[in-house]
Amino acid sequence: MWEKLRSIWTVPDLRKKILFTLGMLLLFRILAHINVPLSPTEQKSLNDLFNKGDNPVGQLLGLLDVFSGGSLQNFSIVAFSVYPYITATIVMQLLQPIIPALQNLSAQGEAGRLRFSQITRIITVPLAFLQALGQCALFQQEKVLTNFSLIDPQYALQSFAIVASLITGTMVLVWLGELITEKGIGNGISIIILANILSNLPKYVQQGITAAQSGGSGTVVSLGVFAIIGIITILGIVYIYLGQRRVPVQYPTKRNVGRNMMVGSAQTTYIPMQINSAGMIPLIFASSMLLFPTVIARYLSTSTTPWIKNVALWVSVNLINPTEWWYWVFNFLLVVAFTYFYAYVLWQQQNIPENLQKQGAFIPGYRPGEPTSRYLLNILNRITLAGALFLGVITVLPFVARVGGNQMLGAAALLIAVGVVLDTVRQLESQMVMRNYSGFLS
């Protein structure tokens, strides 16, 4: 392994890419420590809000804080990380099969991809603005921000500066991510999210060590069980992430004999259909669907109308309560449903049966066109079931661990971390093989 790492470091252009990526990440972590100015009282209120694990608002903020590497708890200028950009990307992918103009962009090659990315960045700005307004309004309701108002002339300039700083921080991170993608190693946006997740790792380790020192042998055994569950979970994520169904496809070969075109023997390849083609996006959708009505109920709980206040309190306490088991059953079902939904969206975008027919390729035993489409769709249904159930189980693991007295890193964080690491290793592998070196994993 050390020999492989040394061989990577000896390649000049790879060394520059790695150093550039590390430099961008260092700049990102410096930005994460530039905070929006808060008074000591406001900072204490913010810390208390995040420490309320059974508070629905605290649950929402904890989900967002995973993607910000603790920057949201400090209310840094990069508190939102690249989360608005991820939302804009999801929105564009969902709109692509609906809007013909977006479908035409996807068929225009590199120029269409660049235009698609530009539209995504433009959409990111209003999404970041709305998220900044909502976040500041939520902090104001929770008595964290006491002087926030874009309408009151006394506080409008200060409030606008806070919102503008949060939007600017998000767009700077998007720019850094694109620089990493262009001049560094790996997908820049994913690398930034991975850096956020890893930045919280020392805190989790410290909490585990503190619990083991104060809890005695029982806590040590509990932490051991937690470590075993975590390792098994990571192995399962890797297995499902790399799992695929390879569908054989034959391409007829053509050669010129004099002035005639002759069809020779067919070349056989395969279509790699991923078990988990949706990635971690279903987890984001499901969490948002469950947390959004909780936040709305939190707002309405202060209503002066009695029946609205009672309904809001009942919803937040009984219906959507993260400490109850039925909340996680809803979460499981939503993850499974959204996994199927997003897998079908990606399937429609790829349009594999039509592309095979245009290229003259066919699946042995199935005619091109509708029979091939039905066959591939049937395979997609079966393999997506395995991926959806696995994502659902990963989703409820934090609740199971909490029942057992442990706290686990979120399922979305684990999926992102494992996926980014695997993709980055693949890129290093391809870079080494392309330069006539042995592969990083071989």
Side-chain angles (χ1 to χ4, degrees):
M1 175 62 69
W2 294 111
E3 182 64 25
K4 301 294 184 183
L5 294 174
R6 189 192 65 82
S7 62
I8 291 178
W9 195 253
T10 56
V11 182
D13 53 342
L14 274 183
R15 184 169 63 247
K16 291 180 181 178
K17 289 177 178 291
I18 294 175
L19 291 176
F20 181 83
T21 302
L22 294 177
M24 293 297 101
L25 292 179
L26 177 61
L27 178 59
F28 159 55
R29 293 312 302 170
I30 292 175
L31 293 175
H33 288 82
I34 302 176
N35 300 334
V36 174
L38 295 177
S39 67
T41 303
E42 292 175 334
Q43 186 63 52
K44 183 179 182 301
S45 301
L46 182 62
N47 294 333
D48 293 340
L49 178 62
F50 274 86
N51 291 331
K52 295 178 182 178
D54 55 346
N55 188 345
V57 176
Q59 290 281 335
L60 173 63
L61 297 177
L63 172 67
L64 298 179
D65 199 43
V66 170
F67 298 96
S68 66
S71 299
L72 183 59
Q73 185 171 358
N74 297 329
F75 209 22
S76 163
I77 61 173
V78 293
F80 299 154
S81 186
V82 291
Y83 194 75
Y85 180 79
I86 295 174
T87 305
T89 303
I90 295 174
V91 170
M92 289 293 292
Q93 289 178 344
L94 294 177
L95 292 179
Q96 187 173 349
I98 301 175
I99 302 178
L102 295 179
Q103 289 182 339
N104 295 334
L105 284 179
S106 63
Q108 294 177 6
E110 182 66 17
R113 187 190 66 82
L114 293 176
R115 179 59 178 169
F116 193 88
S117 300
Q118 183 181 18
I119 297 176
T120 304
R121 290 192 295 270
I122 293 174
I123 295 179
T124 303
V125 176
L127 288 178
F129 176 75
L130 292 176
Q131 185 171 347
L133 285 182
Q135 194 68 66
C136 292
L138 182 61
F139 282 165
Q140 186 180 31
Q141 184 186 10
E142 297 295 328
K143 310 302 181 182
V144 175
L145 293 178
T146 56
N147 298 321
F148 180 83
S149 175
L150 294 177
I151 302 176
D152 190 344
Q154 184 178 357
Y155 306 115
L157 183 59
Q158 177 184 354
S159 302
F160 179 78
I162 293 176
V163 173
S165 299
L166 294 172
I167 298 174
T168 303
T170 296
M171 299 311 297
V172 168
L173 289 190
V174 173
W175 175 61
L176 293 181
E178 292 181 348
L179 286 179
I180 293 175
T181 303
E182 180 182 356
K183 301 180 181 180
I185 291 291
N187 182 280
I189 300 297
S190 300
I191 292 291
I192 288 178
I193 298 177
L194 176 62
N196 285 329
I197 296 172
L198 295 181
S199 65
N200 282 328
L201 191 59
K203 180 179 68 175
Y204 293 124
V205 174
Q206 182 182 7
Q207 291 175 352
I209 295 175
T210 303
Q213 291 175 347
S214 61
S217 60
T219 306
V220 174
V221 174
S222 180
L223 288 176
V225 174
F226 163 74
I228 294 174
I229 294 176
I231 293 174
I232 294 175
T233 302
I234 293 175
L235 292 176
I237 292 175
V238 173
Y239 183 79
I240 296 297
Y241 188 86
L242 298 179
Q244 56 183 224
R245 168 70 183 275
R246 296 184 176 184
V247 181
V249 178
Q250 291 187 352
Y251 289 83
T253 59
K254 299 179 182 181
R255 57 189 178 90
N256 292 323
V257 179
R259 296 183 178 180
N260 300 322
M261 179 71 71
M262 305 294 293
V263 178
S265 60
Q267 291 182 349
T268 302
T269 182
Y270 62 87
I271 301 174
M273 300 184 67
Q274 299 291 332
I275 294 179
N276 180 24
S277 58
M280 47 76 65
I281 291 179
L283 299 175
I284 296 179
F285 282 178
S287 300
S288 301
M289 289 289 292
L290 287 173
L291 291 173
F292 180 74
T294 305
V295 176
I296 296 298
R298 182 76 177 182
Y299 278 115
L300 296 179
S301 62
T302 59
S303 174
T304 56
T305 306
W307 70 269
I308 295 180
K309 180 179 181 179
N310 293 333
V311 169
L313 290 175
W314 183 87
V315 168
S316 60
V317 174
N318 298 311
L319 185 60
I320 308 178
N321 190 344
T323 61
E324 301 294 342
W325 63 268
W326 54 77
Y327 170 89
W328 295 95
V329 172
F330 292 154
N331 203 345
F332 177 88
L333 296 176
L334 284 175
V335 167
V336 172
F338 279 123
T339 301
Y340 269 98
F341 171 75
Y342 197 70
Y344 287 144
V345 170
L346 294 179
W347 173 257
Q348 293 295 331
Q349 293 177 1
Q350 293 172 353
N351 202 9
I352 294 178
E354 183 177 347
N355 292 332
L356 291 177
Q357 189 173 11
K358 290 179 179 179
Q359 297 172 6
F362 62 94
I363 298 175
Y366 296 89
R367 297 179 59 185
E370 187 61 28
T372 297
S373 178
R374 288 197 303 267
Y375 173 70
L376 293 177
L377 191 58
N378 188 29
I379 294 176
L380 180 67
N381 289 332
R382 295 202 303 268
I383 64 176
T384 302
L385 176 62
L389 293 178
F390 177 79
L391 289 180
V393 171
I394 292 295
T395 302
V396 301
L397 273 182
F399 175 72
V400 176
R402 189 180 299 119
V403 171
N406 291 316
Q407 295 292 333
M408 291 190 64
L409 191 63
L414 279 177
L415 281 175
I416 292 172
V418 174
V420 172
V421 169
L422 290 176
D423 288 339
T424 305
V425 169
R426 283 176 178 173
Q427 287 201 19
L428 287 174
E429 176 87 2
S430 62
Q431 293 282 344
M432 295 296 292
V433 172
M434 185 172 60
R435 290 164 174 79
N436 298 323
Y437 285 85
S438 59
F440 182 67
L441 298 177
S442 59

